[in-house]
């Protein structure tokens, strides 16, 4: 018998050679129907693979990332089988799972696939899936593997085989299709119940433009039809919320090929919104004892050699800026931390001076591959709401508590109400991988765990996920349509204080190293605004939105009164515009709704005579007539209420 430890800590005994599927079956039949693969001692295995020793086993379903990717990877084999049946002679490159679904790169030998062909491929896949064919694993010699694909004349698999070692090669076969693959896979094809081809695109073999252009077929599958339906609804909703589309419609930001890919241009409304976010955080930071600093966009190469960033980013990033001086090189800064370390060093520090909190909205530059760029979420230049806290080891917990408060304040102000936090600790079995003393790690890890608990955060703890230089706390928010985004991070660092030889004089009159904490509640303004746009579908909270009101005169006769109304409201710090176009009031209302402006003030003869405005609220309709001052109070109270804790 062997002992199997399940994630809840329970230990069960099974006969040697049991499989994850049998373990699932011993728990419940329903579970067994959903088990796609298993994590055995940290490694993902086929659910049907025999387990011969005491092990920790996690059963994987569609609720797990690895479960999903096993289904999708297996579905790529199924799609390949369908494609081969429909287009004999097709050659196959690679077919990996991706974040949502999978693709297969194929060479159709001159034939093409279009949207019109999707249905027949989907039908074939479902037909094959229903056969319930097992994914059979077999070990093959390199010579036999080469022979097999030579007969098939599949030069891509032969190319892949070249890089593999003999004795380490496995084939998987399901139905009539055999693929070169390491696995793991789902037990059989009947788990695949719903299929959707999403897209076709061109892709160079091995991503190299000197190679042949293959056809990349994207698809997604699910174990239930309903999951596919839900996914397609979500996709539709996500399309409507796409920040690239809304950013253009709301005139927030733009990109220009001439300026360069991945370098966002903030338009007046977007820049003002950005500025409001900055001021909002700055105000809170000042209350919390942060000291603003400002540093340049470039730094000498030596700075980044000291910090270690040169080693990390040097070759794969923007190349150095040279000067007329031989050998002098500057880099665009990839991080603000090295500059802040140098600011720390400008004067001697005592234990009484700590903690010191330097804050800067610092713009950094990192070279991302063109194919990786995406709207504002993946850019080459972005501004971090960065701060570095230099403290004594015994102050880490208090600082963590304060930073968590700040992050929660930000989330509340922006309606991110559903979030979790991940605590990343070091791997206790591999302590040598990490820099910093055991004592300090223990202190910092306890500080993160305790402060998260005190603040009532929903947390997951991940062992071995800490950086080599310190443990961290990351916030994941769920947006309005259930997608998860990583925002905000708090990171302990023992490395940079060491590299920069930072010191303070302790109460013992001796020199000590401070602990450094990096933190950014937004992460970067670009990414944060992108997530925010998609979360609120462009309907920003009232305090942040570009235009809070639009004054709509019902005819040109009342344009002057409309302008007066706006001016008066400006005095109450309310911003907006007058729609004085020569259009019917109905059209003005519809257009204002499209611009997602929260309040419309309609003015005509009666309003002018009574010094009033008729108010319509976005999504709620008519609110009635108000004096200018009463309306100003409504808006300002609505904003204030949000910031009361
Ligand atoms: Zn495979
Ligand atoms: Zn930093």
């Amino acid at each position: 018998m062997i002992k199997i430890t399940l994630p809840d800590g329970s230990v069960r005994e099974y006969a040697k050679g049991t499989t994850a599927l049998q373990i699932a079956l011993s728990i419940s039949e329903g579970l067994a129907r959903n088990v796609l693969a298993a994590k055995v001692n940290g490694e993902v295995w086929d659910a049907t693979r025999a387990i011969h020793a005491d092990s920790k086993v996690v059963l994987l379903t569609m609720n797990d990332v690895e479960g999903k990717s096993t289904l999708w990877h297996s579905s790529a084999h199924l799609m390949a089988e369908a494609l081969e049946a429909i287009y004999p002679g097709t050659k196959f490159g690679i077919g990996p799972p991706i974040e949502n679904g999978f693709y297969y790169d194929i060479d159709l030998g001159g034939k093409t696939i279009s949207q019109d062909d999707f249905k027949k491929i989907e039908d074939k896949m479902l037909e094959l899936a229903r056969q319930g064919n097992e994914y059979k694993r077999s070990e093959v010699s390199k010579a036999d593997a080469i022979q097999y694909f030579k007969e098939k004349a599949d030069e891509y698999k032969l190319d892949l085989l070249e890089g593999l070692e003999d004795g380490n090669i496995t084939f998987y076969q399901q139905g009539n299709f055999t693929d070169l693959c390491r696995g793991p896979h789902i037990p059989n094809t009947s788990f695949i119940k719903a299929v959707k081809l999403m897209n076709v695109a061109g892709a160079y073999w091995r991503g190299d433009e000197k190679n042949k252009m293959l056809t990349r077929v994207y698809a997604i599958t699910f174990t239930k039809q309903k999951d596919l339906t839900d996914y397609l609804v979500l996709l539709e909703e996500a399309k409507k919320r796409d920040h690239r589309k809304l950013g253009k419609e709301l005139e927030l930001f733009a990109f220009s090929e001439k300026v360069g890919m991945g370098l966002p241009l903030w338009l007046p409304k977007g820049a003002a919104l950005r500025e409001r976010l900055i001021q909002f955080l700055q105000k809170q930071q000042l209350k919390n004892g942060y000291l603003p600093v400002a540093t340049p966009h470039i730094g000498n190469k030596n700075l980044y050699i000291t910090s270690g960033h040169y080693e990390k980013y040097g070759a794969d990033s923007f190349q150095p800026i040279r000067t007329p001086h031989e050998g002098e090189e500057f880099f665009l800064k990839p991080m603000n931390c090295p500059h802040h370390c140098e600011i720390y060093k400008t004067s001697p520090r005592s234990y009484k001076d700590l903690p010191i909190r330097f804050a800067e909205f610092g713009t950094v530059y990192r070279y991302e591959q063109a194919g990786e760029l995406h709207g504002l979420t993946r850019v080459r230049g972005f501004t971090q709401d960065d701060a570095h806290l230099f403290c004594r080891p015994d102050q880490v917990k208090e600082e963590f508590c304060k930073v968590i408060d700040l992050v929660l304040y930000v989330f509340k102000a922006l309606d991110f109400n559903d979030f979790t936090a991940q605590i990343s600790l070091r791997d206790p079995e591999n302590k040598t991988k990490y820099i910093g003393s055991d004592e300090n790690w223990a202190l910092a890890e306890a500080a993160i765990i305790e402060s998260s608990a005190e603040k009532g955060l929903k947390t997951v703890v991940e062992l071995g996920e800490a950086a080599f230089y310190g443990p961290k706390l990351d916030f994941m928010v769920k947006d309005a349509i259930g997608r998860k985004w990583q925002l905000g991070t708090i990171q302990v660092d023992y490395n940079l204080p060491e590299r920069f030889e930072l010191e303070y004089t302790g109460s013992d009159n001796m020199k000590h190293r401070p602990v450094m904490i990096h933190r950014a509640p937004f992460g970067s303004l670009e990414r944060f605004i992108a997530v925010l746009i998609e979360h609120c579908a462009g309907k920003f909270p009232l305090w942040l939105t570009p235009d809070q009101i639009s004054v709509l005169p019902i005819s040109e006769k009342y344009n002057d009164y409309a302008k007066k109304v706006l001016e008066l409201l400006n005095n109450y710090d309310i911003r907006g515009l007058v729609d004085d176009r020569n259009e019917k009031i109905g059209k003005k209302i519809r257009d204002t709704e499209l611009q997602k402006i929260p309040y419309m003030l309609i003015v005509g003869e009666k309003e002018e005579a009574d010094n009033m405005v008729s108010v319509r609220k976005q999504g709620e309709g008519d609110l009635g007539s108000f004096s200018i001052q009463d309306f100003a109070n409504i808006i300002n109270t609505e904003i204030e209420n949000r910031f009361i804790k």
Side-chain angles (χ1 to χ4, degrees):
M1 299 295 273
I2 53 170
K3 287 196 176 74
I4 299 295
T5 310
L6 295 169
D8 63 0
S10 64
V11 180
R12 291 167 170 245
E13 289 209 348
Y14 293 90
K16 198 171 166 206
T18 191
T19 67
L21 207 54
Q22 285 163 346
I23 295 171
L25 203 56
S26 77
I27 298 170
S28 87
E29 249 175 69
L31 179 60
R33 273 198 299 276
N34 288 308
V35 167
L36 301 169
K39 215 191 251 179
V40 179
N41 299 322
E43 205 182 310
V44 183
W45 280 24
D46 294 329
T48 50
R49 186 163 159 191
I51 303 169
H52 292 293
D54 292 354
S55 301
K56 282 187 191 164
V57 173
V58 183
L59 301 170
L60 301 171
T61 69
M62 277 304 267
N63 296 324
D64 305 285
V65 176
E66 296 104 327
K68 267 187 207 163
S69 58
T70 305
L71 177 85
W72 289 336
H73 169 74
S74 307
S75 302
H77 288 252
L78 182 73
M79 183 168 78
E81 187 184 1
L83 288 166
E84 196 170 55
I86 300 171
Y87 308 98
T90 298
K91 297 169 189 177
F92 296 91
I94 53 163
I98 52 179
E99 195 185 349
N100 292 300
F102 58 93
Y103 66 78
Y104 219 125
D105 284 346
I106 58 171
D107 182 348
L108 286 157
K111 286 183 234 104
T112 55
I113 287 182
S114 75
Q115 302 263 351
D116 299 339
D117 304 307
F118 285 6
K119 174 90 171 58
K120 80 174 168 229
I121 300 167
E122 288 163 5
D123 288 347
K124 189 73 191 174
M125 285 174 74
L126 287 170
E127 179 197 319
L128 295 169
R130 277 192 295 269
Q131 294 174 2
N133 296 318
E134 279 174 44
Y135 288 84
K136 289 186 209 133
R137 182 172 188 269
S138 60
E139 286 169 17
V140 286
S141 70
K142 189 163 178 172
D144 286 350
I146 290 173
Q147 184 59 29
Y148 179 82
F149 285 109
K150 263 199 180 143
E151 274 166 29
K152 263 186 107 178
D154 192 328
E155 66 246 42
Y156 307 103
K157 294 293 176 189
L158 288 169
D159 190 13
L160 291 172
L161 272 166
E162 256 175 48
L164 298 180
E165 262 174 54
D166 202 4
N168 205 6
I169 295 170
T170 51
F171 275 4
Y172 273 88
Q173 187 196 354
Q174 99 278 356
N176 288 319
F177 186 75
T178 301
D179 210 344
L180 169 70
C181 187
R182 295 172 98 75
H185 299 95
I186 55 176
N188 67 64
T189 57
S190 74
F191 283 76
I192 302 166
K193 294 276 195 316
V195 168
K196 178 91 183 149
L197 261 68
M198 303 301 296
N199 199 8
V200 278
Y204 293 108
W205 172 237
R206 291 189 180 273
D208 186 340
E209 60 192 56
K210 286 188 223 97
N211 289 338
K212 190 168 176 186
M213 170 87 85
L214 305 182
T215 303
R216 180 168 291 181
V217 187
Y218 289 94
I220 194 163
T221 55
F222 290 94
T223 52
K224 291 188 193 105
Q225 183 60 41
K226 184 177 180 299
D227 289 349
L228 174 60
T229 312
D230 290 351
Y231 175 74
L232 294 176
V233 170
L234 178 78
L235 214 60
E236 237 359 85
E237 187 54 36
K239 225 185 252 173
K240 281 187 228 152
R241 291 165 178 260
D242 189 326
H243 74 278
R244 295 167 301 175
K245 172 177 163 280
L246 286 172
K248 200 177 211 174
E249 284 170 15
L250 301 173
E251 297 169 18
L252 300 176
F253 59 87
F255 288 92
S256 145
E257 291 265 322
K258 234 176 198 162
V259 171
M261 289 169 81
L263 299 170
L265 304 174
W266 289 95
L267 307 181
K269 282 183 188 183
L273 183 142
R274 211 176 119 100
E275 200 53 42
R276 276 190 289 283
L277 277 175
I278 291 175
Q279 283 167 5
F280 155 76
L281 191 58
Q282 263 170 349
K283 196 169 150 193
Q284 209 55 25
Q285 287 181 167
L286 280 176
K287 279 189 201 162
N288 281 285
Y290 285 74
L291 307 169
V293 294
T295 64
H297 289 236
I298 64 173
N300 193 292
K301 180 177 173 179
N302 293 325
L303 178 71
Y304 301 116
I305 289 176
T306 300
S307 72
H309 291 114
Y310 178 70
E311 213 181 316
K312 191 169 168 217
Y313 291 101
D316 298 326
S317 197
F318 289 110
Q319 290 310 290
I321 302 161
R322 293 182 218 292
T323 72
H325 277 282
E326 179 81 27
E328 190 177 46
E329 289 183 345
F330 291 86
F331 277 83
L332 286 168
K333 73 174 166 189
M335 299 276 226
N336 302 301
C337 348
H339 292 72
H340 292 187
C341 287
E342 284 300 302
I343 295 179
Y344 180 91
K345 287 184 88 167
T346 53
S347 53
R349 313 284 179 180
S350 121
Y351 69 99
K352 284 184 253 168
D353 302 329
L354 302 184
I356 291 173
R357 310 177 189 90
F358 293 140
E360 175 179 16
F361 284 83
T363 304
V364 296
Y365 302 88
R366 294 180 199 167
Y367 184 79
E368 301 278 356
Q369 296 293 333
E372 303 281 308
L373 298 173
H374 181 89
L376 290 181
T377 54
R378 228 24 206 283
V379 286
R380 286 175 174 168
F382 55 93
T383 303
Q384 295 177 311
D385 56 326
D386 215 354
H388 295 99
L389 321 182
F390 300 88
C391 61
R392 303 190 307 260
D394 64 288
Q395 292 172 321
V396 171
K397 184 180 165 190
E398 199 186 337
E399 288 311 299
F400 249 85
C401 280
K402 284 186 188 163
V403 178
I404 293 173
D405 279 340
L406 191 64
V407 171
L408 299 187
Y409 182 78
V410 168
F411 285 177
K412 181 166 186 276
L414 293 154
D415 292 329
F416 288 112
N417 300 316
D418 192 352
F419 53 86
T420 51
Q422 179 180 314
I423 300 175
S424 301
L425 305 179
R426 83 183 155 158
D427 177 357
E429 276 150 38
N430 204 352
K431 288 184 180 172
T432 49
K433 249 174 53 183
Y434 305 90
I435 182 174
S437 72
D438 265 0
E439 195 191 344
N440 279 348
W441 270 86
L443 219 78
E445 292 190 340
I448 299 178
I449 294 167
E450 285 166 21
S451 52
S452 305
E454 271 173 37
K455 297 295 168 192
L457 298 181
K458 273 190 281 176
T459 54
V460 285
V461 175
E462 294 287 348
L463 294 179
E465 283 296 304
F468 78 92
Y469 53 82
K472 63 178 175 169
L473 182 66
D474 289 312
F475 289 85
M476 306 281 299
V477 299
K478 212 187 234 184
D479 74 10
I481 56 171
R483 294 170 303 174
K484 284 183 184 162
W485 304 83
Q486 201 221 302
L487 289 178
T489 181
I490 319 173
Q491 166 104 51
V492 177
D493 186 353
Y494 300 113
N495 180 44
L496 286 184
E498 200 68 42
R499 283 179 166 264
F500 280 88
E501 299 176 344
L502 306 185
E503 288 177 345
Y504 66 90
T505 309
S507 54
D508 55 3
N509 241 333
M510 307 279 281
K511 298 284 184 202
H512 298 269
R513 284 260 182 277
V515 181
M516 189 169 173
I517 299 173
H518 312 249
R519 49 103 278 184
F522 294 151
S524 89
L525 281 168
E526 283 69 18
R527 191 178 143 78
F528 189 81
I529 291 173
V531 174
L532 185 59
I533 292 172
E534 303 212 357
H535 177 51
C536 68
K539 291 179 195 135
F540 295 104
L542 187 60
W543 67 272
L544 183 66
T545 196
D547 291 304
Q548 297 167 318
I549 59 161
S550 179
V551 192
L552 314 181
I554 56 174
S555 79
E556 272 175 68
K557 260 195 345 202
Y558 308 103
N559 282 355
D560 285 343
Y561 176 61
K563 281 172 195 154
K564 193 180 125 199
V565 167
L566 181 62
E567 255 171 51
L568 289 169
L569 287 171
N570 284 159
N571 293 336
Y572 291 97
D573 283 333
I574 293 165
R575 56 186 180 271
L577 49 90
V578 171
D579 186 351
D580 57 4
R581 293 174 304 159
N582 189 12
E583 293 286 357
K584 292 239 160 58
I585 189 72
K587 176 158 174 53
K588 288 185 184 180
I589 291 174
R590 281 193 302 279
D591 288 350
T592 312
E593 262 163 9
L594 281 180
Q595 289 167 53
K596 309 191 194 300
I597 298 174
Y599 285 97
M600 283 172 249
L601 310 183
I602 297 154
V603 295
E605 188 179 355
K606 188 170 183 311
E607 284 78 13
E608 180 166 13
D610 299 345
N611 248 320
M612 304 280 273
V613 289
S614 287
V615 180
R616 266 182 84 91
K617 191 172 183 182
Q618 170 95 258
E620 286 182 28
D622 276 329
L623 296 188
S625 293
F626 297 88
S627 72
I628 311 277
Q629 189 174 356
D630 282 350
F631 174 69
N633 284 340
I634 290 176
I635 285 217
N636 285 328
T637 311
E638 189 179 331
I639 292 173
E640 274 163 30
N641 283 343
R642 170 177 294 268
F643 292 103
I644 295 169
K645 278 198 180 176

